[in-house]
């Protein structure tokens, strides 16, 4: 029904779920875990606008999405505490939540803008080193260098 494009391409690469450009969540019923629906719903309720975390760093966006997914999954008793997806992304996001506070992480992620997160990071780290390290942190997350990124938290 959806024809060629993201739907067909993503399934061929092993993707089990995604939020499309039209902001609809798609889940592969044959391969997804129960938590996949929650993960995609968390994406859907995040700030998908141009000032959202998704445009700051897609890999970090996945980590923060998984951070809140695991909270929901734990609350309803599905998929266990570690779903086994986006593990280093999640671990980094959890460390970021401890640094800036979960409420700040949630506000930035769900309501936007991503600069709320940046400002909180700089506030915790100090202006000079915070500004320098924030840029490095984001760059490391974009490159999937999670060990390096976590050292800046």
């Amino acid at each position: 029904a959806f024809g060629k494009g993201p739907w067909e391409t993503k399934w061929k690469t092993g993707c089990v779920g995604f939020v499309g450009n039209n902001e609809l969540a798609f889940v592969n019923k044959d391969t997804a875990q129960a938590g996949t629906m929650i993960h995609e719903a968390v994406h859907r309720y995040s700030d998908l606008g141009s000032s959202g975390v998704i445009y700051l760093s897609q890999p970090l966006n996945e980590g923060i999405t998984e951070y809140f997914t695991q909270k929901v999954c734990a609350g309803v008793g599905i998929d266990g505490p570690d779903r086994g997806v986006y593990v280093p992304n999640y671990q980094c996001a959890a460390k970021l939540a401890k640094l800036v506070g979960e409420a700040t992480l949630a506000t930035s992620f769900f309501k936007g803008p991503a600069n709320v997160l940046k400002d909180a990071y700089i506030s915790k780290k100090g202006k000079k080193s915070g500004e320098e390290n924030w840029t490095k942190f984001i760059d490391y997350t974009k490159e999937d260098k999670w060990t390096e990124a976590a050292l800046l938290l």
Side-chain angles (χ1 to χ4, degrees):
F2 293 96
K4 296 191 185 275
W7 180 263
E8 184 177 277
T9 303
K10 290 197 182 271
W11 287 167
K12 285 182 178 177
T13 61
C15 179
V16 295
F18 67 97
V19 174
N21 291 340
N22 56 4
E23 298 183 9
L24 292 175
F26 298 94
V27 176
N28 185 330
K29 67 179 178 60
D30 297 325
T31 59
Q33 301 171 329
T36 304
M37 289 182 280
I38 293 170
H39 180 95
E40 298 310 326
V42 170
H43 273 306
R44 178 60 191 87
Y45 286 99
S46 69
D47 176 10
L48 296 172
S50 62
S51 64
V53 173
I54 191 169
Y55 290 99
L56 183 64
S57 167
Q58 175 57 23
L60 179 60
N61 180 64
E62 292 295 349
I64 297 171
T65 301
E66 188 59 23
Y67 176 82
F68 288 111
T69 298
Q70 287 195 25
K71 290 202 157 291
V72 173
C73 286
V76 296
I78 60 172
D79 288 348
D82 179 5
R83 298 180 338 107
V85 294
Y86 297 114
V87 174
N89 313 50
Y90 162 80
Q91 291 169 338
C92 194
K95 196 168 180 182
L96 181 60
K98 286 182 183 174
L99 175 69
V100 301
E102 187 173 274
T104 299
L105 184 67
T107 298
S108 177
F109 183 70
F110 290 108
K111 294 182 181 178
N115 282 343
V116 169
L117 197 53
K118 176 183 177 181
D119 293 345
Y121 179 92
I122 291 169
S123 174
K124 295 289 184 178
K125 294 291 188 176
K127 185 157 177 62
K128 186 176 186 319
S129 67
E131 287 177 355
E132 291 172 10
N133 287 336
W134 176 255
T135 301
K136 289 178 189 176
F137 171 74
I138 293 303
D139 287 344
Y140 285 145
T141 66
K142 288 178 182 178
E143 298 166 5
D144 289 322
K145 294 183 176 178
W146 297 106
T147 301
E148 293 87 343
L151 291 173
L152 296 173
L153 297 173

